[in-house]
Amino acid sequence: MSLFITSLNSGSNGNCYYIGNDREAVLVDAGISCRETEKRMKRLGLSMSSVKAIFVSHEHTDHIKGIPVIAKKYQLPVYITSNTLVNGGLELDAQLVISFQAYTPVTIGELTIIAFPKFHDAIDPHSFVVSAQKDLT
C-alpha cells in the first residue's frame, strides 16, 4: 500500500503535513487555519474525512495555530507531549488529548507513527517516522 506525503504548508507562516494511505491519514502539525488546511487538501484531492489524528512536533505557533479549530471541528485526537501542551497554551477538549512517548509506536489504522526527540529551541520537540502496513494481497 502506498504512503502519500505532502506539505500543505511549510515555513514561518505555518507548517502542516499530510501523511496517509488510501484509507487513513494523519496531520503532523497544523500551523495554518482550518479553512486553509481544508482548501489546500481539497485542491490536492484529499479529504479531511481520511484524517484520523494530529501529531504535534512542538509548541511554536507556526506549528499549532490551527489545531484547536481542526481538532474540535473534526473531533480528531491530538497526540502531544504534556510539556508541549502546557507550554503551547493550547485549549483543547480533554477527551481529544493523547500523550505520546518517544520511541513508543502509535497505530492508527494501517499507519504506525513513532516519535523521536530532536534538537530545536522548544520545550519537548519531536519528529515522527510514519510507516504503512504493507498490503500482502
Side-chain angles (χ1 to χ4, degrees), residues 1-4 18-26 47-52 108-111 132-137:
M1 179 171 295
S2 298
L3 192 60
F4 305 105
Y18 174 99
I19 305 166
N21 59 26
D22 292 334
R23 296 182 194 128
E24 58 261 329
V26 296
S47 171
M48 279 299 297
S49 65
S50 20
V51 176
K52 305 303 180 197
I108 297 180
E110 295 181 359
L111 304 177
Q133 181 180 26
K134 294 181 181 176
D135 187 358
L136 301 174
T137 60

Side-chain angles (χ1 to χ4, degrees), residues 49-99:
S49 65
S50 20
V51 176
K52 305 303 180 197
I54 303 170
F55 284 78
V56 182
S57 66
H58 63 285
E59 75 274 9
H60 292 165
T61 305
D62 60 324
H63 291 260
I64 65 170
K65 183 172 45 178
I67 292 174
V69 174
I70 294 170
K72 184 173 183 171
K73 181 175 181 178
Y74 293 98
Q75 289 298 292
L76 295 173
V78 177
Y79 289 81
I80 187 169
T81 66
S82 55
N83 285 335
T84 298
L85 179 62
V86 169
N87 285 281
L90 286 172
E91 294 185 19
L92 300 169
D93 293 340
Q95 73 270 13
L96 296 178
V97 174
I98 302 173
S99 185

